[in-house]
Amino acid sequence: MSLVKLAVTHIAPVFIVTSPVTSYADQIWSMNKARSSAGFSLDVPLIMLVASILKVFFWFGDRYDFPLLIQASIMIFVQLLLLRVALLYRPPFGAQHSLNKPFQGADQTDSGIPRPYNFWQWRPQKPYWQFVAYYTVVLAILQLLIGSNTAYIALQGYVALSVEAILPIPQILENERLRSSKGFRLSVLINWLVGDAFKMTYFFLSEGSVPWAFKLCGLFQAACDCYLGVQYLKYGDGDPATLEMDEKNPRLA
């Protein structure tokens, strides 16, 4: 058995299935240890929950490879736990965002304008769980009504994977704004890049069924992750004076 075939048939599926845990376990542990989720963007679990729940329903219409379904299912559990911990240890209203966590400041718009109905910026915890529940119920109803429609199945796949593919964008924008990668962990970046390598290998060389939605959106996400690597090398920790001034910016309060 060649090394490439071994990677595609044995190593890549295991890495894909376990990637939700390896990618986010450290973040959950860190927030729990610090008893604070300051600097962590709640948009991360939002993006991953929306995408992963939709991917599970997508499987019923397009029976893609089973390891990808297992990954989506595990991701839902991990993101629910991540959301729970992030909400539990959320700083008091008005507290400054720290610079020691990935995605810092990504849940605030540069203009400081709140989202419509304060979507996903609520202070109580209940609306977050209500949204996830309602979203799942609506998808279940649509699955029963039009789940066999070819156009709807294709739409499910491209929407789910497109949403997931935008995950690195908030961090890219934040790094560009600060001209710094401080707060973005190298371990997270390495995990993403290694994951991209395994995913691309599996998506394009696997003998199983991998829809083109996975391949195209995977390529886009891999490109974004590579650009994050470029930013990390280019900016490093940035200019301390600039970071200090930005931390005092009232828009991040």
Side-chain angles (χ1 to χ4, degrees):
M1 181 180 294
S2 68
L3 185 60
V4 174
K5 187 174 182 180
L6 176 65
V8 173
T9 58
H10 293 83
I11 301 176
V14 172
F15 189 91
I16 288 173
V17 168
T18 58
S19 62
V21 177
T22 57
S23 297
Y24 296 101
D26 179 61
Q27 185 68 54
I28 295 172
W29 179 83
S30 297
M31 290 191 298
N32 189 65
K33 181 181 179 181
R35 295 294 191 270
S36 173
S37 60
F40 177 77
S41 173
L42 291 177
D43 287 345
V44 175
L46 170 64
I47 290 171
M48 296 310 299
L49 282 171
V50 168
S52 299
I53 294 172
L54 188 53
K55 279 199 292 185
V56 170
F57 285 102
F58 176 47
W59 183 84
F60 291 100
D62 189 338
R63 299 300 177 94
Y64 53 80
D65 274 11
F66 197 63
L68 298 176
L69 174 63
I70 298 176
Q71 181 211 34
S73 302
I74 295 176
M75 183 66 78
I76 293 171
F77 173 78
V78 171
Q79 293 301 321
L80 288 173
L81 180 59
L82 180 63
L83 178 61
R84 167 62 178 165
V85 173
L87 291 175
L88 182 63
Y89 297 122
R90 186 165 46 169
F93 184 75
Q96 290 285 349
H97 287 272
S98 67
L99 291 173
N100 60 353
K101 294 286 195 299
F103 316 107
Q104 75 89 17
D107 58 344
Q108 299 286 336
T109 59
D110 283 343
S111 63
I113 300 175
R115 300 172 185 177
Y117 304 103
N118 288 323
F119 178 72
W120 211 255
Q121 293 178 329
W122 307 295
R123 295 310 300 174
Q125 295 188 24
K126 186 177 179 180
Y128 294 91
W129 306 114
Q130 287 179 327
F131 170 80
V132 174
Y134 293 155
Y135 174 71
T136 305
V137 169
V138 169
L139 288 180
I141 294 174
L142 289 174
Q143 189 67 34
L144 292 174
L145 295 177
I146 57 174
S148 59
N149 183 277
T150 304
Y152 177 68
I153 293 172
L155 181 64
Q156 280 181 313
Y158 280 102
V159 170
L161 276 300
S162 297
V163 170
E164 183 176 342
I166 68 173
L167 179 63
I169 292 180
Q171 186 65 47
I172 289 175
L173 296 177
E174 187 68 11
N175 290 351
E176 287 294 335
R177 188 175 68 84
L178 295 176
R179 291 292 190 269
S180 169
S181 294
K182 186 172 183 178
F184 184 64
R185 297 180 183 177
L186 181 60
S187 61
V188 174
L189 176 60
I190 292 174
N191 193 290
W192 283 4
L193 291 173
V194 172
D196 290 334
F198 276 108
K199 284 193 296 184
M200 292 302 99
T201 301
Y202 185 76
F203 288 171
F204 286 95
L205 299 181
S206 172
E207 296 178 357
S209 175
V210 179
W212 268 100
F214 281 89
K215 297 176 181 179
L216 294 176
C217 295
L219 285 171
F220 176 80
Q221 188 171 9
C224 290
D225 292 343
C226 288
Y227 187 67
L228 276 173
V230 172
Q231 287 182 321
Y232 194 91
L233 295 174
K234 180 180 179 181
Y235 297 136
D237 287 343
D239 182 4
T242 302
L243 292 174
E244 183 179 357
M245 182 174 61
D246 184 84
E247 189 175 8
K248 295 178 180 178
N249 191 328
R251 292 182 307 174
L252 297 180

